[in-house]
Amino acid sequence: VKAVGLDPRNDFNVDRILTKNDAQNLIQLCVTRLLDTTNPSLSTIKMQVYFDMNYANRAELLSEQHRVLEGRLAPVVRDITDSRPRVQEEMENVYRKIVSYVLLSSGLGSPTDIEVVREVTAALQSVFPQTEMITFISLSKKNKEQQLKKLAMLVTGIRLYNKECQKGGSSIDDLPAILNEAIPSATRTVDEGLNTCHTLAYQYTALLESMQEDQHRYTQLSSFKLKEALFNVRQYEAFLCILLSDAIASAQEVEKMNAQFTATMEQLKNTVQNKVSVDTKEVFPLFLALSNLWSGFQDEILLLSFLTNMTNSLQQFSEIQSQLFPEEVLTSLLEGVTVKSDEERIRETMGTRVNVSDFKNQDWLFPETTANFDQLLIQYHGFCAHAIGAKGLTLPGNPAIGILKHKEKCYVFSSKEAAYIFAQDPDKFIQLNIEKAKEHAELIQLLELRHQFEYLAPYAQARNADKCLMKPTTKCDSSTQTDTHILPPTIVTSYEWNEWELRRKAIKLANLRRKLTRAMQTDLSHMRRENSTQVYLPKDVSTQTKRDNSSNVPRPQIFLEGLRGGSSPTTHVVKVDLTRAIDET
């Protein structure tokens, strides 16, 4: 609906509310486009929507797969961690559940295969006998989950080692061998699709160029939807390049893991060497490493399956090419037309480049003058910025001609002439490209014009707006340092401006003229050496000459009788001393 509304040929004004007639007209146009099965434009949009909704990069795909696997195993884990067995029969039941979890999490064999179950049980008992169930039950829930994961990895490593020694593991597929055969096959399939795309793109481009040069050819070919077919092929090519890049990354990862797996297995064999008992500190890390590497192989199998499915599914959107342009029709149309590949077009323009002096206010970037030249974010998916709007063609741009930097965006061109024309009025041609994208909605994603049509941003880009919409900058932080004094210092430290200080120095020098330094040596001091002695320093010593003492004496108790007087006129006082003797105390 938005694409139809954007198309200027449909004469919809997006700034006003649609009337009832406008709505009916819009619906009719949309239905007509949806039912037009002969239009490559519709197939291109379907291809873009399919890829956008189904494609995921390595990290996202593996993260989702691990999340799904954990979700499937969650009920089994919960059943094990929440159980509280008390009797022997319940203990054995929980142990059997642990065996099931180990088998399911490793993905090596079917849980219904008795031989596989026996093999897993024997491997588990070698590292986790039933006598340790009491210790396992006493752990916290989190520790139980960690222990289960570790047990699953150890059992996987043991089974892989037994398979290598031909003592079991018959149900385990040879994933490295499968990957070594399947990845080249998948890469060849993508390569074949890319070669077909390239051939068709070169042929369509040659036909479109011949239409613009010859009016007769234009009349002959105008009924064919060559532009739409070219955009379809270019979009298919872009998606196949993404899948091919993933396949190459997968092949490199498998090659690296193969070397690590072989080295780890060899180290494990040398460690065990038919010994009856081996230290767990030596072999357990090797078993865990084998398990991790095997999980990596399983991830690569998943990624390869995903890439193969994506390649096969995208093929249906390019089938319209053979319907519109059968091989005999295309051959007849190409009579007398020179078909050039993208590489040939770039080679033809390798010797030419923009003369910077011809442009005063334009910023041009070249490989020898720009750091990280290959990492610049080129607009329009690397296609010529002039040919899109002016000719409606997707010609490959040649960065060696010169990259125009306009308003912090970089543009490449297919020829020096195209670069000069575009540089005279960049905003005009940028607007032309936007108008061309409005006529052909599939160009919005093909040319990465989402910043111009943000409301039409693909689902995956809107979902990961913080990742996909970020543009790599061509600038970098740098710092320079200039020495404060480049030349050696010329300061005369002996200079004095004070006249009195100079006077003092002059007097001092004059006095020195009358001074003599004399030295003599006697027979006794001749050839003597300096001697030194070492003594112990006196240490602090303290003595005590007296001690404090105390004694307790009796308290005096003296009483006087007759102080109040009596009947007689004279007072008789009697003194009574009741103080105790000293020797009694």
Side-chain angles (χ1 to χ4, degrees):
V1 171
K2 290 178 179 177
V4 170
L6 280 174
D7 195 338
R9 296 172 294 185
N10 296 329
D11 198 23
F12 283 109
N13 189 354
V14 294
D15 296 328
R16 65 177 177 84
I17 300 174
L18 293 177
T19 64
K20 190 174 182 179
N21 291 334
D22 290 337
Q24 289 297 326
N25 188 23
L26 180 62
I27 291 171
Q28 187 60 41
L29 287 168
C30 290
V31 171
T32 303
R33 287 194 64 175
L34 288 170
L35 296 178
D36 186 6
T37 55
T38 62
N39 191 352
S41 177
L42 183 63
S43 295
T44 307
I45 293 174
K46 285 181 180 179
M47 186 197 312
Q48 291 171 343
V49 172
Y50 176 84
F51 191 86
D52 187 56
M53 297 295 289
N54 291 278
Y55 176 76
N57 58 33
R58 287 177 61 91
E60 292 174 347
L61 189 66
L62 294 180
S63 174
E64 179 66 17
Q65 176 66 14
H66 295 161
R67 188 188 64 80
V68 170
L69 182 61
E70 288 180 3
R72 290 176 181 172
L73 293 174
V76 183
V77 175
R78 196 181 308 114
D79 203 9
I80 296 171
T81 55
D82 292 346
S83 60
R84 294 289 184 271
R86 289 182 175 83
V87 296
Q88 183 64 26
E89 185 179 351
E90 293 177 349
M91 292 273 194
E92 292 175 356
N93 188 27
V94 174
Y95 195 84
R96 282 193 294 272
K97 291 178 181 177
I98 294 175
V99 172
S100 299
Y101 168 81
V102 168
L103 180 54
L104 290 171
S105 64
S106 65
L108 302 179
S110 171
T112 57
D113 190 338
I114 300 299
E115 185 180 349
V116 172
V117 175
R118 287 175 180 170
E119 185 182 336
V120 172
T121 305
L124 181 62
Q125 286 178 344
S126 65
V127 294
F128 182 69
Q130 291 192 25
T131 53
E132 294 187 13
M133 280 296 297
I134 298 174
T135 308
F136 177 80
I137 293 166
S138 63
L139 297 174
S140 64
K141 184 172 182 178
K142 185 176 180 181
N143 290 337
K144 284 181 182 177
E145 292 175 355
Q146 293 176 350
Q147 182 78 354
L148 284 174
K149 290 180 180 178
K150 186 175 180 181
L151 288 174
M153 293 173 68
L154 286 172
V155 171
T156 301
I158 292 171
R159 293 183 65 197
L160 291 171
Y161 174 73
N162 290 340
K163 175 180 171 62
E164 183 72 16
C165 298
Q166 297 180 353
K167 296 179 181 179
S170 58
S171 61
I172 301 175
D173 296 326
D174 191 356
L175 296 188
I178 294 172
L179 285 168
N180 288 336
E181 293 179 6
I183 290 179
S185 174
T187 307
R188 280 195 301 272
T189 304
V190 178
D191 273 332
E192 290 171 2
L194 272 174
N195 291 334
T196 305
C197 282
H198 290 155
T199 304
L200 290 174
Y202 305 155
Q203 292 173 345
Y204 294 159
T205 304
L207 287 173
L208 286 167
E209 286 180 327
S210 68
M211 285 174 60
Q212 296 172 357
E213 295 170 359
D214 188 353
Q215 186 63 32
H216 174 69
R217 295 282 294 175
Y218 180 83
T219 308
Q220 180 187 3
L221 298 173
S222 58
S223 60
F224 294 97
K225 296 176 180 178
L226 282 171
K227 284 185 181 179
E228 291 82 353
L230 175 62
F231 299 152
N232 179 276
V233 170
R234 287 296 190 185
Q235 185 63 81
Y236 187 39
E237 175 194 2
F239 288 154
L240 287 182
C241 285
I242 295 173
L243 297 179
L244 181 62
S245 174
D246 288 347
I248 292 172
S250 185
Q252 293 171 346
E253 190 68 21
V254 168
E255 185 179 358
K256 183 174 70 174
M257 287 193 300
N258 266 330
Q260 293 176 351
F261 188 82
T262 305
T264 306
M265 187 65 76
E266 194 64 31
Q267 185 181 356
L268 187 57
K269 286 181 179 179
N270 295 334
T271 304
V272 176
Q273 290 180 345
N274 298 324
K275 295 179 182 176
V276 178
S277 62
V278 187
D279 188 359
T280 57
K281 292 180 181 179
E282 294 181 12
V283 294
F284 274 19
L286 297 176
F287 286 140
L288 295 175
L290 284 179
S291 176
N292 285 325
L293 289 169
W294 199 259
S295 297
F297 287 131
Q298 291 174 325
D299 290 342
E300 294 303 327
I301 288 283
L302 172 73
L303 288 166
L304 185 62
S305 173
F306 170 75
L307 292 176
T308 305
N309 291 336
M310 285 293 295
T311 305
N312 296 335
S313 300
L314 286 177
Q315 193 172 1
Q316 61 180 317
F317 300 110
S318 64
E319 290 174 353
I320 195 170
Q321 304 290 341
S322 58
Q323 298 173 11
L324 287 178
F325 302 99
E327 190 173 349
E328 58 274 7
V329 174
L330 201 56
T331 305
S332 63
L333 291 174
L334 287 169
E335 289 180 1
V337 177
T338 304
V339 178
K340 297 179 183 177
S341 67
D342 288 351
E343 292 76 14
E344 289 173 347
R345 293 177 185 274
I346 291 175
R347 278 199 299 269
E348 287 176 358
T349 57
M350 281 305 290
T352 60
R353 65 161 49 193
V354 171
N355 188 0
V356 180
S357 60
D358 295 339
F359 303 94
K360 295 181 180 179
N361 301 322
Q362 301 291 359
D363 189 9
W364 292 91
L365 305 178
F366 297 97
E368 64 275 8
T369 59
T370 306
N372 302 324
F373 184 80
D374 296 333
Q375 300 176 11
L376 295 177
L377 180 64
I378 307 298
Q379 299 298 304
Y380 307 131
H381 198 67
F383 292 118
C384 175
H386 172 259
I388 296 166
K391 302 178 182 178
L393 298 177
T394 50
L395 298 178
N398 185 2
I401 295 173
I403 296 179
L404 174 63
K405 188 175 181 182
H406 177 70
K407 295 182 178 179
E408 299 303 320
K409 292 183 175 65
C410 299
Y411 302 89
V412 291
F413 307 96
S414 58
S415 65
K416 181 178 177 180
E417 294 75 18
Y420 272 70
I421 296 171
F422 185 91
Q424 289 175 2
D425 192 355
D427 293 327
K428 169 190 169 183
F429 288 98
I430 291 171
Q431 189 59 37
L432 274 177
N433 295 339
I434 294 172
E435 295 299 324
K436 186 64 69 175
K438 288 180 179 179
E439 293 179 15
H440 305 279
E442 61 270 27
L443 288 178
I444 294 175
Q445 185 167 347
L446 174 60
L447 303 180
E448 300 173 352
L449 295 174
R450 52 185 175 269
H451 56 281
Q452 302 288 348
F453 304 91
E454 290 184 358
Y455 48 87
L456 285 177
Y459 166 74
Q461 291 161 1
R463 180 185 58 196
N464 301 325
D466 56 333
K467 301 176 185 175
C468 294
L469 299 182
M470 286 180 64
K471 307 181 186 68
T473 179
T474 58
K475 298 179 180 177
C476 63
D477 294 334
S478 62
S479 60
T480 57
Q481 183 175 355
T482 305
D483 291 336
T484 307
H485 301 290
I486 300 175
L487 300 175
T490 56
I491 300 174
V492 181
T493 55
S494 60
Y495 170 77
E496 287 290 347
W497 62 270
N498 192 338
E499 183 180 346
W500 293 100
E501 184 66 27
L502 291 172
R503 185 182 177 88
R504 276 192 293 272
K505 286 186 176 182
I507 294 172
K508 186 177 179 181
L509 290 172
N511 288 336
L512 284 174
R513 293 180 66 227
R514 295 195 296 270
K515 304 295 183 182
L516 294 176
T517 302
R518 292 188 174 87
M520 67 174 56
Q521 191 171 17
T522 64
D523 290 336
L524 294 178
S525 67
H526 179 55
M527 294 295 290
R528 277 196 176 184
R529 61 182 178 87
E530 296 180 355
N531 287 333
S532 60
T533 59
Q534 183 177 5
V535 298
Y536 289 105
L537 296 175
K539 62 178 182 177
D540 296 334
V541 178
S542 60
T543 59
Q544 186 175 0
T545 57
K546 69 173 184 176
R547 62 187 178 89
D548 295 335
N549 203 352
S550 62
S551 62
N552 192 11
V553 297
R555 186 174 62 178
Q557 290 182 342
I558 301 172
F559 299 94
L560 299 174
E561 182 189 1
L563 291 177
R564 293 184 179 180
S567 57
S568 63
T570 57
T571 302
H572 297 279
V573 179
V574 178
K575 180 178 179 182
V576 179
D577 187 358
L578 298 179
T579 303
R580 299 175 65 183
I582 293 177
D583 55 353
E584 293 180 6
T585 57

